[in-house]
Amino acid sequence: MSDILPDEAAVWRRAEDNARAIFGQYGYQEIRTPILEETGLFKRSIGEETDIVQKQMYSFKDRGERDVSLRPEGTAPVVRAYLEHSLGNVLPVQRLYYIGPMFRNERPQAGRLRQFHQIGAEAIGSPSPYLDAEIISLMMGILAACGLGDVELKLNTLGCAKDKKAFEQALKKALAPLAGKVGSLCEDCAKRYEKNILRLFDCKNDGCRKALVAAPRITDYLCGSCSGQFDRIKELLDAAGIKYTLTPSLVRGLDYYTGVVFEASHKNLGSQDAVAAGGRYDNLIEGLGGSSTPACGFAIGTDRVLLAAKGTEIKKAGLDLFFIGLGDEAQKKAFSILSALRTKGVACQMGLDEKSLKSQMRLADRVGAKKVLILGDEELKKGVALLRDMETKTQKEIRLEDVTDTHLW
Ligand SMILES: [Zn+2]
Ligand SMILES: [Zn+2]
């Protein structure tokens, strides 16, 4: 577990602020659950046979002899709260996010701490592929806002519970000749073969990897509805310009995943290169005592994101507009236009002093403005302003009366 010292804490806050801004853009609301939960919650949701439950949780009896654990992940607590407070009755689809520490007693190494931090989201209440695509797009947006615009997104599907089971059985059969022989699978995988066979795909051991090359693939065991669903998600990601790599070996070790699963990784990190991951978990809520409720979500490892992004400056979450008024009259006009824009939900700011255009442009860049509006005396007389797009570096003249048209922002 490590301290986050003041210099670093500023970077953390910036990353978290950016994440919050993006959650806001997608209409996700924050939920804060306790750090401590009943141990049974994690056993029932993550799975008794997973490494997390078997080896990694900080579990103990409290003074009332209750079995409790520091939360090792965020999904189970959010789902517990969703059920406990009947949030499904409040909105048909609940879009929730959380930011906070998680705890796992693992062997520490670069990018793996025992108290680590996650920025996560859960969208509960719909089986729509639009929701899968939305949650992936949201995750990628937050990573980009935290300075990681160049992650690799791996994508796979585990199908429904039936498909997953058929695949597990096929895998078991195909690997049966190896499972008995001593040494052909590593010690961990020999155990996984019996209890949680999909976890074999997470093994880094050469022998185990070789054994899996010719193994069956989940894609051959999908039912019509699951493969159609997966195709739709891919189409939507294509339409949104989100690049992905189809990765049939991506299985995610937690029991509750069904349907689409995904993971983002970054080249700056060594063997622990995943910075974010998630997927659909349509059976978890029912498994925890609720009615059958489809859901999906992701978690971003903040520690790893900041490690991977080291050296790249994390810009403040973008303003839609930075207004530069040159001269007193122009400043006044800017102020009134900004007031009108803010009531329409446009995030904007103006230069406050009479500094040069150049230094104000630099400031606009530093605050992450997407567009800059420049208004001088000449333009003011003509009733126009210069609108500069900071990304394409192009500018054009627009009429002042059109500035408050929200289609621009
Ligand atoms: Zn299926
Ligand atoms: Zn192995």
Side-chain angles (χ1 to χ4, degrees):
M1 300 187 187
S2 66
D3 298 309
I4 298 168
L5 299 173
D7 276 354
E8 260 184 294
V11 177
W12 277 76
R13 202 167 51 240
R14 166 95 17 126
E16 289 170 358
D17 286 350
N18 287 358
R20 284 198 161 85
I22 303 227
F23 281 129
Q25 287 171 0
Y26 279 75
Y28 281 63
Q29 292 182 295
E30 185 173 15
I31 183 165
R32 301 188 189 201
T33 65
I35 304 272
L36 208 61
E37 297 272 356
E38 270 177 25
T39 300
L41 171 68
F42 300 113
K43 286 190 178 168
R44 290 199 307 277
S45 55
I46 302 169
E48 289 265 12
E49 300 304 335
T50 54
D51 286 353
I52 297 177
V53 168
Q54 291 277 315
K55 306 181 203 165
Q56 298 169 354
M57 286 207 296
Y58 284 94
S59 301
F60 54 95
K61 278 195 192 300
D62 72 0
R63 287 176 187 274
E65 293 293 304
R66 287 167 290 247
D67 287 312
V68 292
S69 296
L70 295 178
R71 61 183 186 193
E73 57 102 51
T75 301
V78 169
V79 167
R80 184 213 29 82
Y82 173 90
L83 288 172
E84 197 171 319
H85 305 283
S86 306
L87 295 182
N89 297 341
V90 181
L91 277 175
V93 178
Q94 279 285 354
R95 291 174 164 86
L96 304 168
Y97 78 86
Y98 58 86
I99 295 179
M102 310 289 159
F103 303 83
R104 289 185 203 174
N105 193 359
E106 290 188 87
R107 192 166 46 85
Q109 61 185 75
R112 193 159 79 185
L113 293 161
R114 288 178 172 168
Q115 174 174 330
F116 57 103
H117 300 78
Q118 288 188 339
I119 298 172
E122 315 294 348
I124 306 174
S126 169
S128 167
Y130 283 101
L131 197 60
D132 296 295
E134 172 184 296
I135 208 105
I136 293 172
S137 158
L138 172 58
M139 180 182 87
M140 297 301 273
I142 291 174
L143 288 171
C146 291
L148 290 189
D150 54 343
V151 294
E152 186 195 3
L153 175 66
K154 295 173 191 153
L155 191 70
N156 191 26
T157 179
L158 301 176
C160 53
K162 247 177 155 173
D163 304 343
K164 198 172 164 184
K165 197 153 199 182
F167 173 54
E168 282 172 345
Q169 276 165 357
L171 202 56
K172 234 172 182 170
K173 209 167 149 197
L175 296 178
L178 295 173
K181 258 190 271 167
V182 180
S184 46
L185 290 179
C186 75
E187 204 180 311
D188 278 341
C189 285
K191 275 189 219 144
R192 288 169 181 157
Y193 177 86
E194 295 301 332
K195 293 181 165 165
N196 191 353
I197 190 159
L198 292 186
R199 290 301 309 268
L200 257 66
F201 287 102
D202 295 339
C203 189
K204 304 262 191 263
N205 182 301
D206 281 342
C208 301
R209 288 195 155 191
K210 260 187 217 142
L212 286 171
V213 172
R217 296 187 158 208
I218 178 64
T219 32
D220 298 326
Y221 294 85
L222 297 177
C223 66
S225 137
C226 287
S227 72
Q229 181 97 352
F230 193 44
D231 287 343
R232 193 87 182 97
I233 295 168
K234 288 186 279 184
E235 267 170 42
L236 293 172
L237 293 178
D238 292 339
I242 296 171
K243 292 199 177 65
Y244 53 85
T245 312
L246 292 176
T247 312
S249 61
L250 179 71
V251 296
R252 315 277 308 126
L254 314 189
D255 277 2
Y256 54 62
Y257 284 114
T258 51
V260 69
V261 286
F262 48 87
E263 186 178 287
S265 56
H266 196 272
K267 57 180 176 1
N268 282 6
L269 301 167
S271 60
Q272 301 289 318
D273 66 348
V275 288
R280 186 161 269 286
Y281 51 92
D282 286 348
N283 302 317
L284 175 61
I285 293 157
E286 198 173 5
L288 289 178
S291 56
S292 171
T293 311
C296 58
F298 67 79
I300 293 173
T302 320
D303 310 76
R304 287 202 197 155
V305 165
L306 296 182
L307 199 64
K310 213 159 213 164
T312 46
E313 191 198 347
I314 299 176
K315 281 192 180 163
K316 199 163 166 260
L319 284 174
D320 298 308
L321 170 67
F322 190 85
F323 204 137
I324 302 175
L326 301 167
D328 220 22
E329 283 308 307
Q331 286 280 75
K332 257 192 240 164
K333 186 73 187 167
F335 189 79
S336 76
I337 289 176
L338 290 195
S339 306
L341 281 174
R342 285 182 185 127
T343 63
K344 296 185 174 184
V346 180
C348 48
Q349 222 175 57
M350 60 187 274
L352 295 178
D353 43 30
E354 297 281 317
K355 290 228 175 86
S356 73
L357 180 59
K358 209 170 146 194
S359 73
Q360 294 211 59
M361 286 298 291
R362 263 205 303 273
L363 180 59
D365 190 46
R366 270 221 307 281
V367 296
K370 293 180 196 120
K371 289 185 174 142
V372 174
L373 204 60
I374 304 160
L375 181 63
D377 283 338
E378 281 304 305
E379 286 88 10
L380 190 59
K381 263 186 231 151
K382 287 199 284 177
V384 297
L386 284 176
L387 181 65
R388 185 173 171 82
D389 188 309
M390 296 297 274
E391 228 167 66
T392 60
K393 313 269 181 224
T394 52
Q395 60 185 39
K396 61 176 183 196
E397 211 175 73
I398 70 163
R399 282 144 44 108
L400 279 178
E401 64 210 58
D402 293 338
V403 169
T404 46
D405 183 349
T406 40
H407 292 301
L408 274 175
W409 313 105

